[in-house]
Amino acid sequence: PSGEAAWVTLSYLPRHELLPDVDPNAVVAALPSVAAGVLIFDFIIANTDRNAGNLALVTGPVLTSDGVRERERLEVFDHSHAVIHNGQPTVVQYLASAQDQFIIDGHCLLPHVKSADDLLAWARRLRKLLTDEVVHEACTEAAMITSTLTDKDATALADFLTKRRDAATRVLREHAAKFPGVPANAWIAA
């Protein structure tokens, strides 16, 4: 419909085809810190839909301290289920129901991550990068580009995201047992 949000995706595949599912264990083995970062970001946004079909491990240009180098990198993409899954009648009701939930139990990378240090480092890093101002601005802009998100929804979403961002370290420690690849004593030292 006219006036609705839209986006364009450029495929990096040589032919028009669907992406193959990624091997989550291979992702964590190749890029353990990046995998931890995806997990923490998905926790903050309460992404219930991180599966092997919306990640891709590819070789391509990566900006390093030595300039651009060909390396393995993780392509992360999402669609309508990434932030506000429509399981409740309204956005505000969904956010209220999800606020204190771990949410990422079914995350494809969760059973493979092995480092509490990486997870907690990303929680701290995203706490600094996703400032209140950045979060509120993104939510306000989201309400401006789609008719399905009201100003009230945008405010509720910003509050939801900042609370989850601020709670990430505590919640990770409380749910340490849900990370089978991370030794229990690693959480104490981290």
Side-chain angles (χ1 to χ4, degrees), residues 45-49 79-91 93-95 97-98 103:
I45 68 169
N47 186 355
T48 61
D49 191 42
H79 49 75
S80 63
H81 297 319
V83 179
I84 302 172
H85 181 60
N86 296 326
Q88 296 286 332
T90 70
V91 169
Q93 288 172 322
Y94 169 72
L95 296 174
S97 72
I103 297 284

Side-chain angles (χ1 to χ4, degrees), residues 105-152:
D105 294 90
H107 198 290
C108 69
L109 300 175
L110 189 134
H112 306 284
V113 171
K114 297 175 179 26
S115 172
D117 286 333
D118 285 345
L119 291 163
L120 294 170
W122 271 102
R124 289 187 299 271
R125 183 175 184 193
L126 289 174
R127 172 67 182 102
K128 289 179 184 173
L129 294 173
L130 298 175
T131 65
D132 290 355
E133 182 179 85
V134 167
V135 171
H136 285 274
E137 184 177 315
C139 293
T140 300
E141 288 181 12
M144 290 168 38
I145 64 168
T146 180
S147 62
T148 59
L149 195 66
T150 67
D151 291 342
K152 180 181 176 183

Side-chain angles (χ1 to χ4, degrees), residues 31-45:
L31 301 166
S33 177
V34 172
V38 170
L39 248 168
I40 299 307
F41 184 76
D42 283 343
F43 167 79
I44 292 170
I45 68 169

Side-chain angles (χ1 to χ4, degrees), residues 12-13 15 27-28 30 33 36 41 50 73 76 86-87 89 92 106 116 122 125 141-142 152 159 162-163 173:
Y12 51 85
L13 297 171
R15 297 178 304 277
V27 168
V28 174
S33 177
F41 184 76
R50 177 66 60 217
R73 68 177 191 224
V76 181
N86 296 326
V92 171
W122 271 102
R125 183 175 184 193
E141 288 181 12
K152 180 181 176 183
D159 291 343
T162 56
K163 286 177 183 169
R173 289 181 186 279

Side-chain angles (χ1 to χ4, degrees), residues 120 123-124 164-174 187:
L120 294 170
R124 289 187 299 271
R164 287 185 67 84
R165 174 205 65 200
D166 294 347
T169 299
R170 175 185 53 79
V171 173
L172 288 173
R173 289 181 186 279
E174 290 173 358
W187 293 97

